[in-house]
Amino acid sequence: MMLPYLIVTIFSVFFVYIQNKSLGIRGVFLPLFLLTSLASVRDYTIGTDSHVYTRYFRFPFNHYPLTLDPEVEKGYQLLVMMIHGISDDYFFYFIVMSLISIFPVLLILRKYSVNYTLSIYIYITFGLYFAFYNQVRQAIAMGICFLALRFLVEKRFIVYFLFILVAMQFHISAVMMLVFYFLCHVKVRIELKMVGTFLTGLIATPVIIARMAINNSRYEGYTEGATNGKNGLMTVALYVMIAIVIYLLGKKHRKESVEYSCIECIYLCGISALIPVTMLGTNPAGPQRVAQYFVYYLMLIFPILLKRINNQIISFAFCIFSAMYFLLIILSNLGGIYPFKFNDAFNIF
């Protein structure tokens, strides 16, 4: 069933557009309510990892006791314990996790986007909204890192560091965003930064992945070779093509805006570091999930570039492409999101 996704997408974008045009405000409540509601009323089978995340709320303690797991970040585990102390229904768990993941994204889009409606449209159609349908811990960490954008742009390192430190309590991968603080502000041409991150990724990636697998059994699969054509080449190719377009179109704008130069640097350098992972032929599941930290910034970059181009035909074509990509994500059941199934508690018939 695809209809719930389409309805929520249409209404979210429509309400934001109407509010912006008629009242001149950038509403957060309505899209937050709609997107959170859809994610919360789903069955625990929707999302490849959802059945694991909800097991504490579906089985008695003697099956899955709520004890601290040394292989899972403590911040997430403590949050789960707090949620379970309030309700043992996984519907409530989904509500809290959805709010924590979505709210920071909407706040940053409201503050920084030159086209708030388009940014929310990209958030949904590029599949970024579906992140917490699967990797809940990382989705929370990505939201916190995204919320720290203001402090990165303003060069307030201490505050930025504290935000990243909090994000690391939900997913350790957030630590890499500290590197991007220095990458964004170092006085070096973007081309040299991209080459540097590419070479660093080429040398360091196999070592880092192997090290992660030794310390945590959850990452052992990342050291295995990609098989059955599921190596994500098409996804990486799309990210690379987008990076090329951004690099070519953003040349003038990166010199005029510190804010834009920062978000462009994060995306371009992040994707540059991702390419070696694909070249190595190892399982890209983990590294490609990490790539979503960088893809988040497309929600800010695309509206800026489209406004600069100022061509309605190109803008319309982009929206059509995004819609087609959105349908492809759903129909291909990427992340186990299709067909949508409601929680049994919400089945009327």
Side-chain angles (χ1 to χ4, degrees), residues 22-37:
S22 60
L23 302 177
I25 62 174
R26 296 185 167 193
V28 169
F29 175 75
L30 281 175
L32 179 65
F33 172 76
L34 291 170
L35 295 174
T36 297
S37 297

mmCIF file of all heavy atoms in Angstrom, residues 22-37:
data_model
loop_
_atom_site.group_PDB
_atom_site.id
_atom_site.type_symbol
_atom_site.label_atom_id
_atom_site.label_comp_id
_atom_site.label_asym_id
_atom_site.label_seq_id
_atom_site.Cartn_x
_atom_site.Cartn_y
_atom_site.Cartn_z
ATOM 1 N N SER A 22 -0.002 32.486 2.278
ATOM 2 C CA SER A 22 -1.134 33.265 2.786
ATOM 3 C C SER A 22 -0.832 33.995 4.091
ATOM 4 O O SER A 22 -1.298 35.120 4.318
ATOM 5 C CB SER A 22 -2.354 32.351 2.994
ATOM 6 O OG SER A 22 -2.060 31.336 3.933
ATOM 7 N N LEU A 23 -0.041 33.366 4.960
ATOM 8 C CA LEU A 23 0.231 33.953 6.267
ATOM 9 C C LEU A 23 1.658 34.469 6.412
ATOM 10 O O LEU A 23 1.964 35.184 7.373
ATOM 11 C CB LEU A 23 -0.040 32.919 7.373
ATOM 12 C CG LEU A 23 -1.457 32.327 7.422
ATOM 13 C CD1 LEU A 23 -1.558 31.280 8.515
ATOM 14 C CD2 LEU A 23 -2.480 33.436 7.654
ATOM 15 N N GLY A 24 2.509 34.081 5.473
ATOM 16 C CA GLY A 24 3.897 34.527 5.531
ATOM 17 C C GLY A 24 4.699 33.886 6.644
ATOM 18 O O GLY A 24 5.684 34.465 7.117
ATOM 19 N N ILE A 25 4.256 32.718 7.098
ATOM 20 C CA ILE A 25 4.969 32.015 8.165
ATOM 21 C C ILE A 25 5.449 30.658 7.675
ATOM 22 O O ILE A 25 4.904 30.092 6.722
ATOM 23 C CB ILE A 25 4.091 31.823 9.414
ATOM 24 C CG1 ILE A 25 2.873 30.959 9.072
ATOM 25 C CG2 ILE A 25 3.674 33.157 10.002
ATOM 26 C CD1 ILE A 25 2.029 30.611 10.272
ATOM 27 N N ARG A 26 6.475 30.157 8.332
ATOM 28 C CA ARG A 26 7.001 28.833 8.010
ATOM 29 C C ARG A 26 6.585 27.877 9.127
ATOM 30 O O ARG A 26 7.262 27.767 10.138
ATOM 31 C CB ARG A 26 8.516 28.881 7.865
ATOM 32 C CG ARG A 26 8.984 29.744 6.702
ATOM 33 C CD ARG A 26 10.487 29.673 6.527
ATOM 34 N NE ARG A 26 10.899 30.229 5.254
ATOM 35 C CZ ARG A 26 12.115 30.080 4.727
ATOM 36 N NH1 ARG A 26 13.041 29.390 5.389
ATOM 37 N NH2 ARG A 26 12.415 30.593 3.550
ATOM 38 N N GLY A 27 5.469 27.233 8.903
ATOM 39 C CA GLY A 27 4.925 26.364 9.941
ATOM 40 C C GLY A 27 5.724 25.087 10.126
ATOM 41 O O GLY A 27 6.169 24.471 9.159
ATOM 42 N N VAL A 28 5.895 24.704 11.375
ATOM 43 C CA VAL A 28 6.588 23.467 11.715
ATOM 44 C C VAL A 28 5.611 22.421 12.244
ATOM 45 O O VAL A 28 5.767 21.224 11.981
ATOM 46 C CB VAL A 28 7.685 23.735 12.770
ATOM 47 C CG1 VAL A 28 8.227 22.431 13.345
ATOM 48 C CG2 VAL A 28 8.819 24.535 12.161
ATOM 49 N N PHE A 29 4.569 22.864 12.939
ATOM 50 C CA PHE A 29 3.679 21.933 13.624
ATOM 51 C C PHE A 29 2.976 20.968 12.664
ATOM 52 O O PHE A 29 2.953 19.759 12.898
ATOM 53 C CB PHE A 29 2.631 22.697 14.433
ATOM 54 C CG PHE A 29 1.605 21.804 15.073
ATOM 55 C CD1 PHE A 29 1.918 21.050 16.201
ATOM 56 C CD2 PHE A 29 0.332 21.682 14.519
ATOM 57 C CE1 PHE A 29 0.968 20.204 16.769
ATOM 58 C CE2 PHE A 29 -0.612 20.843 15.089
ATOM 59 C CZ PHE A 29 -0.294 20.102 16.216
ATOM 60 N N LEU A 30 2.379 21.487 11.587
ATOM 61 C CA LEU A 30 1.595 20.627 10.696
ATOM 62 C C LEU A 30 2.443 19.549 10.018
ATOM 63 O O LEU A 30 2.081 18.372 10.055
ATOM 64 C CB LEU A 30 0.858 21.476 9.655
ATOM 65 C CG LEU A 30 -0.413 22.157 10.159
ATOM 66 C CD1 LEU A 30 -1.004 23.060 9.087
ATOM 67 C CD2 LEU A 30 -1.439 21.108 10.578
ATOM 68 N N PRO A 31 3.567 19.910 9.364
ATOM 69 C CA PRO A 31 4.376 18.840 8.780
ATOM 70 C C PRO A 31 4.931 17.888 9.831
ATOM 71 O O PRO A 31 5.038 16.682 9.585
ATOM 72 C CB PRO A 31 5.497 19.589 8.050
ATOM 73 C CG PRO A 31 5.536 20.943 8.659
ATOM 74 C CD PRO A 31 4.128 21.243 9.052
ATOM 75 N N LEU A 32 5.269 18.416 11.014
ATOM 76 C CA LEU A 32 5.771 17.560 12.093
ATOM 77 C C LEU A 32 4.693 16.570 12.516
ATOM 78 O O LEU A 32 4.973 15.371 12.705
ATOM 79 C CB LEU A 32 6.197 18.417 13.284
ATOM 80 C CG LEU A 32 6.718 17.657 14.510
ATOM 81 C CD1 LEU A 32 8.006 16.929 14.182
ATOM 82 C CD2 LEU A 32 6.943 18.622 15.678
ATOM 83 N N PHE A 33 3.465 17.059 12.648
ATOM 84 C CA PHE A 33 2.349 16.201 13.047
ATOM 85 C C PHE A 33 2.083 15.112 12.009
ATOM 86 O O PHE A 33 1.935 13.933 12.343
ATOM 87 C CB PHE A 33 1.088 17.046 13.256
ATOM 88 C CG PHE A 33 -0.153 16.236 13.494
ATOM 89 C CD1 PHE A 33 -0.375 15.634 14.725
ATOM 90 C CD2 PHE A 33 -1.080 16.060 12.474
ATOM 91 C CE1 PHE A 33 -1.519 14.862 14.934
ATOM 92 C CE2 PHE A 33 -2.226 15.304 12.676
ATOM 93 C CZ PHE A 33 -2.448 14.707 13.915
ATOM 94 N N LEU A 34 2.034 15.499 10.738
ATOM 95 C CA LEU A 34 1.728 14.542 9.683
ATOM 96 C C LEU A 34 2.817 13.486 9.520
ATOM 97 O O LEU A 34 2.533 12.283 9.444
ATOM 98 C CB LEU A 34 1.517 15.275 8.359
ATOM 99 C CG LEU A 34 0.251 16.136 8.262
ATOM 100 C CD1 LEU A 34 0.282 16.992 7.011
ATOM 101 C CD2 LEU A 34 -0.991 15.253 8.273
ATOM 102 N N LEU A 35 4.066 13.934 9.471
ATOM 103 C CA LEU A 35 5.170 13.004 9.255
ATOM 104 C C LEU A 35 5.375 12.091 10.466
ATOM 105 O O LEU A 35 5.689 10.900 10.309
ATOM 106 C CB LEU A 35 6.455 13.783 8.960
ATOM 107 C CG LEU A 35 6.442 14.592 7.656
ATOM 108 C CD1 LEU A 35 7.699 15.441 7.537
ATOM 109 C CD2 LEU A 35 6.308 13.677 6.449
ATOM 110 N N THR A 36 5.182 12.644 11.656
ATOM 111 C CA THR A 36 5.305 11.836 12.869
ATOM 112 C C THR A 36 4.172 10.831 12.962
ATOM 113 O O THR A 36 4.384 9.662 13.334
ATOM 114 C CB THR A 36 5.305 12.739 14.119
ATOM 115 O OG1 THR A 36 6.439 13.600 14.078
ATOM 116 C CG2 THR A 36 5.365 11.903 15.393
ATOM 117 N N SER A 37 2.976 11.253 12.613
ATOM 118 C CA SER A 37 1.810 10.368 12.689
ATOM 119 C C SER A 37 1.975 9.156 11.770
ATOM 120 O O SER A 37 1.718 8.018 12.177
ATOM 121 C CB SER A 37 0.537 11.127 12.317
ATOM 122 O OG SER A 37 0.279 12.169 13.239
#
